[in-house]
Amino acid sequence: MENRKIQYSGKYLKLETFPIQHPDGRTGNREIVHVRDAVGVLLLDDSNQVHLVKQFRHAIDKELLEVPAGLLDPGESPEDCAVRECEEETGYYPQKLHKLLHYAHAEGYSTGFTTLYLGTNLRHTGKIQLDESEYLTQHIMPLNHLIKLIYKNEILDSKTILCTLLGQHYLQNRLE
Amino acid sequence: MENRKIQYSGKYLKLETFPIQHPDGRTGNREIVHVRDAVGVLLLDDSNQVHLVKQFRHAIDKELLEVPAGLLDPGESPEDCAVRECEEETGYYPQKLHKLLHYAHAEGYSTGFTTLYLGTNLRHTGKIQLDESEYLTQHIMPLNHLIKLIYKNEILDSKTILCTLLGQHYLQNRLE
């Protein structure tokens, strides 16, 4: 489309502006950010313990407890990224992945989609490997406790909440 | 903090870059967007029908079916915004609001928080009033049908999925 303009292009974000036309003929402008797609994994071991990470999120100035997650490398599949991020962030990787959801996390202004998985049959390698821009710590808790934290609004990011609620629903329906 | 730079400042988005230091002494850079906070409402009538809107989302190039939602006006409370957006987008406003969740929708790169509500005891005014940048249509369906669409991954935005799952959980536990 003509009149599209890249206003900023950085390492993670590219900001673009462009004019739009609605079906009724009215016009407007949009400002969007291009970001890399991401994954998140509800990483659950055989004892029903969830493997989580805690990290400081500068954009919202808060430390969050989250499921392992990360951005797709160029050419990488969401499944490969999910397994890789689990191992790099927790030292465990799932030998089994079940896809829970593919969703737009900020549909109003971002191109970003996140794919969520339930990861089970964990294998421990201990190969924690954080990239240069990461600093995080590992935390383990029972799935039921994480669900309680969600209903108390103590978990703040969409991927962790969605992963956990949809993972719980999948597990319950598989067992019934 | 020094060395913070505004790289772009538009109508909806402001993009800022700044250096960070991790607890272990390593340094890095962050790119974030400042956005206005938002609300979303699971708008449920006495017949268990949900009032939704469909709109084209240019950032992801798709038409989405969503709960009524919008950005807080300067100085506006999330509750006032929730009631206003419901009426402007659907012609109905909730006389009762129950807060379901306050969450960060893109914690890695955006300042944005969204507050979600269950809205009930609807009053019909018919005063649909879309702002200059909006074009959307109204849709009504049973809550159970919306839940099925979510588990089939046919609903793509985090606010609608979270609103619906948390609203359903709240209603179930209130009735038990």
Side-chain angles (χ1 to χ4, degrees), chain B residues 142-161:
Chain B
L143 175 58
N144 284 342
H145 185 58
L146 179 58
I147 292 168
K148 274 185 200 149
L149 291 182
I150 286 173
Y151 288 123
K152 284 160 79 178
N153 205 164
E154 291 183 16
I155 302 295
L156 290 185
D157 66 305
S158 65
K159 66 181 183 310
T160 301
I161 304 171

Side-chain angles (χ1 to χ4, degrees), chain A residues 11-13 22 26 30-31 101-102 104-105 107 109-110 132-135 151 153 156 159 169, chain B residues 11-13 22-23 26 30-31 101-102 104-105 107 109-110 132-135 151 153 156 159 169:
Chain A
K11 188 172 174 189
Y12 296 103
L13 303 183
H22 294 298
R26 288 177 306 141
R30 282 292 179 274
E31 301 166 352
L101 187 72
H102 182 67
H105 55 251
E107 64 287 350
Y109 63 90
S110 168
E132 60 191 16
S133 80
E134 283 179 318
Y135 179 87
Y151 287 123
N153 206 163
L156 292 184
K159 68 180 179 309
H169 178 263
Chain B
K11 188 172 176 190
Y12 296 103
L13 303 183
H22 294 298
R26 289 176 306 141
R30 283 291 178 277
E31 301 166 352
L101 186 72
H102 181 67
H105 55 250
E107 64 286 350
Y109 63 88
S110 169
E132 59 191 15
S133 78
E134 282 178 318
Y135 179 86
Y151 288 123
N153 205 164
L156 290 185
K159 66 181 183 310
H169 177 263

Side-chain angles (χ1 to χ4, degrees), chain B:
Chain B
M1 198 192 291
E2 48 188 331
N3 295 320
R4 295 187 83 106
K5 268 189 206 156
I6 302 295
Q7 304 283 359
Y8 172 82
S9 187
K11 188 172 176 190
Y12 296 103
L13 303 183
K14 192 164 76 174
L15 196 149
E16 185 185 30
T17 56
F18 53 90
I20 58 160
Q21 184 163 26
H22 294 298
D24 60 5
R26 289 176 306 141
T27 57
N29 288 293
R30 283 291 178 277
E31 301 166 352
I32 69 170
V33 286
H34 294 260
V35 299
R36 277 152 67 194
D37 286 344
V39 300
V41 183
L42 183 68
L43 193 61
L44 188 69
D45 68 23
D46 294 345
S47 319
N48 255 337
Q49 303 273 324
V50 188
H51 294 247
L52 301 165
V53 295
K54 203 178 259 188
Q55 65 183 308
F56 191 80
R57 292 298 196 170
H58 291 268
I60 55 172
D61 203 26
K62 280 182 202 301
E63 189 179 56
L64 297 191
L65 185 65
E66 307 176 12
V67 294
L71 304 176
L72 270 66
D73 282 338
E76 189 179 36
S77 73
E79 290 77 14
D80 287 347
C81 180
V83 172
R84 176 177 60 72
E85 288 287 352
C86 286
E87 183 172 18
E88 289 180 2
E89 295 192 349
T90 72
Y92 290 82
Y93 75 85
Q95 297 179 92
K96 203 169 164 190
L97 275 185
H98 172 78
K99 185 179 162 186
L100 295 168
L101 186 72
H102 181 67
Y103 77 105
H105 55 250
E107 64 286 350
Y109 63 88
S110 169
T111 62
F113 274 85
T114 303
T115 308
L116 300 180
Y117 297 91
L118 171 66
T120 53
N121 292 31
L122 307 198
R123 181 146 177 255
H124 183 245
T125 67
K127 288 186 188 157
I128 293 177
Q129 196 175 346
L130 303 177
D131 77 31
E132 59 191 15
S133 78
E134 282 178 318
Y135 179 86
L136 43 79
T137 54
Q138 290 72 36
H139 298 263
I140 300 179
M141 66 172 66
L143 175 58
N144 284 342
H145 185 58
L146 179 58
I147 292 168
K148 274 185 200 149
L149 291 182
I150 286 173
Y151 288 123
K152 284 160 79 178
N153 205 164
E154 291 183 16
I155 302 295
L156 290 185
D157 66 305
S158 65
K159 66 181 183 310
T160 301
I161 304 171
L162 285 167
C163 239
T164 307
L165 296 180
L166 293 169
Q168 180 199 28
H169 177 263
Y170 170 77
L171 291 166
Q172 279 176 345
N173 283 274
R174 202 185 50 170
L175 294 175
E176 270 166 15

